[in-house]
Amino acid sequence: MANILIIDDSPTDVRVFTTLLERAGHVVHAVGNAEEGIDRVRSEQPDLVIMDVIMPGMNGFQATRTLSRDPTTANVPIVMISTKSMETDRVWGLRQGARAFITKPVNEKDLLACIHELLPNAA
């Protein structure tokens, strides 16, 4: 079981991911924007972050870069999830510090496999 923070401005996506992750035994919290997400990661140190890319204000690429370059949060793995499906988006997300980049719509098995790969002790 892992403590996972979802940073996504879509209530529908948050609900879908929360249901999927809780069904798999994880504890899930969510925030609706990148700035609040950064604050929560710094204060709560979740085991993993699921990061949307397209959000108002700071986008997911910027937030991922901020978290991955901060020594207090650099070890928290970030999985970026986006409708942006170009290879350049995936590469850019990984260059910003994401450990994985998944394109929407998300396959439940793929997401859970990704989490288990990043957090082998959370299975």
Side-chain angles (χ1 to χ4, degrees), residues 1-2 4 17-28 108 111-112 115-116 122-123:
M1 172 172 65
I4 298 175
F17 296 142
T18 298
T19 300
L20 181 156
L21 294 168
E22 286 178 343
R23 190 170 50 231
H26 301 292
V27 176
V28 180
E108 180 175 349
L111 177 58
L112 293 176
I115 291 169
H116 291 285

Side-chain angles (χ1 to χ4, degrees), residues 29-106:
H29 302 280
V31 295
N33 64 66
E35 294 84 356
E36 185 179 354
I38 290 169
D39 290 342
R40 291 280 293 269
V41 174
R42 286 178 175 154
S43 66
E44 297 176 13
Q45 294 289 308
D47 298 314
L48 183 130
V49 171
I50 292 181
M51 178 80 70
D52 186 25
V53 172
I54 302 170
M55 294 182 281
M58 178 184 284
N59 68 41
F61 292 128
Q62 294 165 316
T64 297
R65 183 172 51 246
T66 298
L67 291 169
S68 67
R69 292 184 180 170
D70 182 336
T72 64
T73 57
N75 291 327
V76 177
I78 298 171
V79 176
M80 297 192 88
I81 297 181
S82 179
T83 56
K84 297 173 79 59
S85 60
M86 301 275 297
E87 178 65 11
T88 53
D89 296 317
R90 187 187 72 76
V91 169
W92 186 245
L94 296 174
R95 288 191 64 192
Q96 301 317 300
R99 306 271 179 91
F101 191 99
I102 298 174
T103 303
K104 293 178 186 176
V106 175

